[in-house]
Amino acid sequence: MNRKPESERFYFREFLESDWTDIHEYASQAAVSQYQPWGPNLPQESQVYVNDVLTDAKKNPRTRFVFAVVLKETGKVIGAGEINVRDAANKGGEIGYIINPAFWGQGFATETAKLLLQYGFSELNLHRIYAKCDPRNTASRTVLEKIGMLKEGMMRENLLLKEGWRDSLLYALLEQEWREIFNE
């Protein structure tokens, strides 16, 4: 596996089967899945998620990279960061992130998203990375803007939630923009 980014407070690592309990701690909360088509998770759903991540990590070629966000101080998994190679020929990828609500408002999501960009551009050699978020999710929009992603538009009714269709804002960043912003 390529070098995985880290911050002063946490590091990325591959998932372990035992991580499902830390994942379930937040994936079982309604606030976490409010803008998602899944959840709140039952214990077996959190186990299936981790097993799916482990299965995808073994695929060759690998296109899905899901990392546990692990606090350096305690070793606790407080979230996940994911980057998917969506278009290998055109070097395009998509990022997503999720953080335990006990750690919201402390910059962990912003750091995670920034490290996903670093991994995507430096290790996966992507040219363009995008992210989608629910227009109502102001916290996620703020994260994407803080890391330099530009809003490209809105995808109308592209995701079916329990309560009906959801629009998604589309944000993206190009490799040369990332290099300029972060002096890479």
Side-chain angles (χ1 to χ4, degrees):
M1 173 52 53
N2 299 332
R3 180 180 64 88
K4 288 179 219 54
E6 62 181 84
S7 75
E8 289 183 19
R9 302 185 293 171
F10 67 85
Y11 59 91
F12 284 173
R13 71 158 165 74
E14 297 287 347
F15 267 76
L16 305 173
E17 194 173 330
S18 59
D19 288 336
W20 81 267
T21 55
D22 283 344
I23 299 301
H24 187 66
E25 184 179 310
Y26 62 79
S28 61
Q29 297 181 42
V32 174
S33 61
Q34 177 179 3
Y35 304 113
Q36 302 300 326
W38 56 266
N41 281 4
L42 298 171
Q44 60 268 31
E45 292 169 318
S46 295
Q47 289 173 323
V48 166
Y49 166 76
V50 171
N51 288 333
D52 288 347
V53 167
L54 294 172
T55 298
D56 287 342
K58 295 175 187 169
K59 291 182 178 175
N60 190 11
R62 185 174 181 186
T63 59
R64 183 183 187 205
F65 300 82
V66 185
F67 302 114
V69 177
V70 184
L71 283 180
K72 287 181 176 179
E73 191 173 297
T74 64
K76 180 176 181 58
V77 175
I78 63 161
E82 180 168 345
I83 185 161
N84 288 279
V85 178
R86 298 290 190 202
D87 184 348
N90 292 300
K91 298 185 173 193
E94 178 181 12
I95 63 168
Y97 45 84
I98 187 166
I99 300 294
N100 186 322
F103 298 91
W104 284 0
Q106 300 174 45
F108 285 103
T110 301
E111 287 179 54
T112 297
K114 184 178 174 183
L115 291 178
L116 289 168
L117 290 178
Q118 179 184 343
Y119 190 82
F121 289 127
S122 295
E123 301 298 324
L124 300 178
N125 299 311
L126 296 175
H127 172 71
R128 180 178 183 275
I129 298 175
Y130 69 91
K132 298 177 288 199
C133 76
D134 190 306
R136 301 169 294 177
N137 190 343
T138 55
S140 194
R141 287 186 359 224
T142 300
V143 165
L144 297 173
E145 291 166 4
K146 277 184 181 178
I147 62 170
M149 296 187 98
L150 301 175
K151 185 167 84 171
E152 294 185 335
M154 183 170 65
M155 301 167 69
R156 298 180 312 134
E157 295 188 2
N158 70 310
L159 188 61
L160 182 58
L161 303 181
K162 291 176 187 125
E163 70 272 6
W165 289 101
R166 174 196 113 170
D167 294 339
S168 292
L169 294 175
L170 179 64
Y171 285 82
L173 191 67
L174 302 177
E175 179 187 14
Q176 65 267 25
E177 295 167 336
W178 171 73
R179 292 193 186 289
E180 289 171 13
I181 293 168
F182 298 106
N183 297 315
E184 294 291 332

